[in-house]
Amino acid sequence: MKFDKVIIGNIVLPDLNFLGEIGVNDGKIVEISKTTGVLEGQDVYHYGKDFVFPGFIDAHVHCYSNPNEGIKRASYAAAKGGITTFLDMPYDLPVPVASVEVLKKKIETINREAIVDIALWGTIPKEDGAKVIDELADAGVAGFKLSTFETDPYRFPRIADADILEAMKKTGNRDLVIAFHAENDELLTRYIKDAQAENHLEPIYHNLTRPPVTETTAVIKLLDMASWADAKLHIVHVSHAKSLDYINWFKQQGTNVTAETCYNYLLLTTEDLKEQGPKAKINPPLRQPQEVRELEAQLLDDSIDFITSDHAPWQKADKSIGDADIFKAKSGTPGLEIMIPLLFDHLVGNREVTVSHFADLLAFAPAKRFNLINKGSIETGKDADFAIIKNSEPWKVDENSFLSVSDVSPYHGQQVDNRIEATFVRGQLVYSHSTGVKEQATGRFVKPNE
Ligand SMILES: [Zn+2]
């Protein structure tokens, strides 16, 4: 049998990896061979001993927090970073994805501009919002994202408890994830006011005004509500081990809950916030070094379901505005094109996480949670989405050369010891280190269960 494409390399499956070959026809994985020199193909890609991972999945991306970015630029960044599918957040400027009309427009943009595959989060309006859930679910959202903290009253509102409970019940009935930005609005608003009144505007006050209790109180409320509402709960960007203790206790009681942390919480600490100021400002904030070690212990102990980037494509002016007053800077960092290489060094290189576990945290687990049934692992019948990682290839992060519109990163200048050699989406080579991104928009909108 002759295949359209054959990929040769160190293939990473859920519980083992081996030098072998993958045969691809019509964008699907058709055969996996545990020896090389067996499969015949029209196009044969030899990657030697490089790792052939399932295409990575980033469940937490904000293409339109900064509309200069948009789908096209973010998808280029994703392809360069080995991410073949991402889930874009709903808090778009100027209008959030809280209606079918807005959702449909975004789907059209994806099908017109993206070079990787993209699934979409929906959200609900601030007042009496749960009524939009069924129609957005029918139109193909992969989940709903809500917040207990008011970032913006229209675009990214705090949702009242009664509406949260109703939304939990409705999304649960649809077997869809309901995810939360979990911070206690009342507490941190007070703490920020107090700091400002005393003119404490230095970077570390971003951390001091959002102590762990501002996260844990929000998390435990949501866990309790989800247990009553039979929700499929997901807590985004968990920054603290104590939140995970609560999450895991509820999990053991049978509550349907998962948790993600973001790469920044594993790689940076309050020391970086002090040194780099606004560039290292994210919500929830970076934690103390000891707290980061505790979070990492939870990760190594399988207490974190997956890792995301929380990609927020800010530009220099969005951050420098906070140089003299940390509260004025935008929160977030870009991540699509650097997260995988940085985490590979940290987890596989330094912490001896197996490549299969790495693939679980960054592909298999998110695909499973969001019912992206053709994604997330190298198995016959699934989409031929691959990320090729070449180890021992040092380079330096350069914030001025991102494919994302973002040009600020707390990792600027940091050495990385592996690189993304190539990225395939449904069998198509969308990025290679030697030729860059292929700009033809072959990406697609992805629906759960399709
Ligand atoms: Zn986010």
Side-chain angles (χ1 to χ4, degrees):
M1 185 178 185
K2 200 164 181 182
F3 296 96
D4 298 346
K5 281 171 186 142
V6 171
I7 318 282
I8 304 171
N10 190 340
I11 298 165
V12 181
L13 300 192
D15 43 14
L16 75 165
N17 60 288
F18 51 83
L19 284 180
E21 301 177 324
I22 304 168
V24 174
N25 274 338
D26 301 322
K28 293 279 186 187
I29 298 167
V30 178
E31 197 168 331
I32 301 165
S33 164
K34 289 188 178 171
T35 46
T36 53
V38 178
L39 307 184
E40 253 181 75
Q42 194 118 25
D43 297 317
V44 178
Y45 295 86
H46 284 275
Y47 291 111
K49 290 180 178 165
D50 297 351
F51 292 106
V52 181
F53 277 96
F56 294 108
I57 298 176
D58 186 349
H60 193 154
V61 170
H62 298 269
C63 285
Y64 288 98
S65 290
N66 175 1
N68 293 337
E69 174 91 333
I71 293 289
K72 191 196 271 186
R73 293 289 292 262
S75 78
Y76 289 3
K80 189 178 173 190
I83 289 159
T84 54
T85 304
F86 67 81
L87 283 74
D88 199 54
M89 284 293 169
Y91 299 121
D92 297 354
L93 253 177
V95 185
V97 182
S99 72
V100 171
E101 196 192 344
V102 176
L103 177 73
K104 282 192 171 154
K105 260 196 200 156
K106 202 166 173 182
I107 293 170
E108 281 169 25
T109 309
I110 289 168
N111 290 329
R112 194 174 58 238
E113 296 183 357
I115 67 166
V116 300
D117 287 351
I118 301 175
L120 292 175
W121 291 94
T123 190
I124 68 172
K126 186 172 172 66
E127 305 294 340
D128 190 23
K131 60 180 184 288
V132 304
I133 285 172
D134 280 325
E135 60 190 56
L136 284 170
D138 290 340
V141 295
F144 286 82
K145 164 94 178 277
L146 278 62
S147 182
T148 59
F149 163 66
E150 186 135 301
T151 303
D152 178 288
Y154 170 62
R155 191 174 60 84
F156 199 151
R158 171 190 179 178
I159 303 295
D161 287 353
D163 294 314
I164 288 177
L165 265 175
E166 197 186 342
M168 281 182 167
K169 285 177 193 157
K170 280 201 159 175
T171 50
N173 285 339
R174 301 297 302 249
D175 190 32
L176 285 174
V177 167
I178 186 162
F180 284 86
H181 178 127
E183 284 189 297
N184 184 319
D185 197 272
E186 273 179 38
L187 283 180
L188 67 89
T189 305
R190 165 78 72 87
Y191 295 153
I192 291 172
K193 233 188 210 168
D194 291 350
Q196 286 168 327
E198 290 171 24
N199 214 28
H200 287 312
L201 310 174
E202 312 90 281
I204 193 61
Y205 278 88
H206 180 61
N207 167 281
L208 296 174
T209 54
R210 293 169 120 95
V213 68
T214 59
E215 177 176 296
T216 52
T217 49
V219 166
I220 204 158
K221 175 182 87 171
L222 294 166
L223 286 164
D224 184 59
M225 286 177 148
S227 75
W228 292 109
D230 284 328
K232 194 172 173 181
L233 177 66
H234 178 67
I235 306 292
V236 301
H237 52 49
V238 171
S239 72
H240 202 277
K242 194 161 181 185
S243 297
L244 292 164
D245 289 340
Y246 292 151
I247 289 165
N248 286 314
W249 188 85
F250 273 85
K251 229 183 225 180
Q252 283 157 17
Q253 308 309 306
T255 303
N256 187 340
V257 56
T258 46
E260 75 185 37
T261 191
C262 300
Y263 79 122
N264 288 318
Y265 300 111
L266 297 166
L267 300 176
L268 303 173
T269 71
T270 40
E271 295 306 304
D272 298 282
L273 178 59
K274 285 185 218 161
E275 273 166 37
Q276 305 218 38
K279 269 192 189 181
K281 181 187 177 188
I282 58 175
N283 293 340
L286 294 173
R287 299 297 180 194
Q288 304 285 346
Q290 178 56 29
E291 293 170 315
V292 172
R293 284 192 286 273
E294 287 162 13
L295 188 78
E296 184 179 272
Q298 295 264 31
L299 179 87
L300 298 177
D301 201 24
D302 289 331
S303 288
I304 297 177
D305 296 277
F306 46 92
I307 308 174
T308 64
S309 74
D310 199 0
H311 177 81
W314 301 122
Q315 293 171 280
K316 286 193 166 74
D318 300 310
K319 290 292 192 179
S320 60
I321 191 175
D323 283 345
D325 177 353
I326 191 66
F327 299 111
K328 288 191 174 147
K330 296 284 192 191
S331 292
T333 73
L336 279 170
E337 62 202 272
I338 53 175
M339 171 175 70
I340 296 294
L342 285 166
L343 281 179
F344 186 88
D345 271 4
H346 185 72
L347 295 176
V348 180
N350 302 336
R351 298 293 187 274
E352 296 180 350
V353 165
T354 66
V355 285
S356 292
H357 189 189
F358 191 77
D360 181 40
L361 287 166
L362 289 143
F364 183 66
K368 194 170 167 221
R369 186 58 169 163
F370 298 100
N371 294 330
L372 305 179
I373 55 176
N374 288 304
K375 306 291 187 189
S377 56
I378 298 178
E379 266 177 71
T380 54
K382 293 217 177 196
D383 287 349
D385 296 348
F386 310 115
I388 314 298
I389 292 188
K390 191 182 241 337
N391 214 349
S392 307
E393 281 291 323
W395 57 283
K396 275 189 177 155
V397 175
D398 178 1
E399 63 188 7
N400 299 307
S401 71
F402 287 153
L403 293 181
S404 161
V405 79
S406 180
D407 55 6
V408 274
S409 167
Y411 304 97
H412 179 62
Q414 187 168 317
Q415 182 172 314
V416 186
D417 288 326
N418 70 88
R419 70 170 190 232
I420 304 297
E421 184 65 14
T423 306
F424 292 82
V425 176
R426 282 174 283 101
Q428 311 222 35
L429 183 70
V430 296
Y431 169 80
S432 87
H433 176 72
S434 53
T435 58
V437 291
K438 189 180 123 207
E439 298 188 0
Q440 200 185 340
T442 49
R444 281 186 202 157
F445 171 62
V446 187
K447 276 186 189 179
N449 299 308
E450 259 184 28

